[in-house]
Amino acid sequence: MENTKEKQCPQFPYFGAKYPDASCSDGYLWDLDSYDSDSGGCTKGGEDPCPFCNESEYVQRLKDSEFSEIEIEAHIEYLNKKYNY
Ligand SMILES: [Zn+2]
C-alpha cells in the first residue's frame, strides 16, 4: 500500500443506504451499519476498494461489472466533486 497521506476519506452512501454508510480503512470500504460496539469495529466490508484513495482498483471493479469508461469517469468525477476529496 503506497498511500501514505493522512487525509481521511469521506464517508458516502455505498452499501445500499441513502445516507453515508461506507467508511474507508486502508483503501477498502466497511459498512458502518455493521458497526459492532463490542469489538469497536465494523463486521461487514473490507473487500470493496475505496473510490477516493484506491481509485484504480475501484475503477477496475466497475469495469468488471460492465460499466462503460464514460460512466465510470462521470461517476468518479461526481464522487470527487460531491465529497470534495
Ligand atoms: Zn479511502
Side-chain angles (χ1 to χ4, degrees):
M1 187 77 44
E2 52 192 307
N3 173 39
T4 51
K5 52 185 176 176
E6 292 291 316
K7 198 168 177 181
Q8 174 65 46
C9 296
Q11 298 179 349
F12 69 107
Y14 181 81
F15 289 102
K18 288 202 162 47
Y19 49 87
D21 64 350
S23 177
C24 168
S25 177
D26 293 333
Y28 290 90
L29 301 173
W30 290 83
D31 188 346
L32 291 170
D33 288 334
S34 75
Y35 184 79
D36 177 41
S37 51
D38 288 338
S39 61
C42 298
T43 57
K44 246 174 70 188
E47 286 174 7
D48 292 346
C50 170
F52 300 106
C53 66
N54 198 1
E55 185 181 313
S56 59
E57 219 176 297
Y58 184 80
V59 164
Q60 189 56 49
R61 177 76 60 112
L62 288 178
K63 278 184 186 157
D64 293 344
S65 312
E66 295 182 357
F67 285 95
S68 72
E69 304 242 349
I70 293 167
E71 282 174 308
I72 295 170
E73 245 173 65
H75 176 65
I76 297 281
E77 201 180 301
Y78 164 80
L79 283 175
N80 286 338
K81 267 201 191 126
K82 183 167 168 70
Y83 297 100
N84 199 21
Y85 184 73

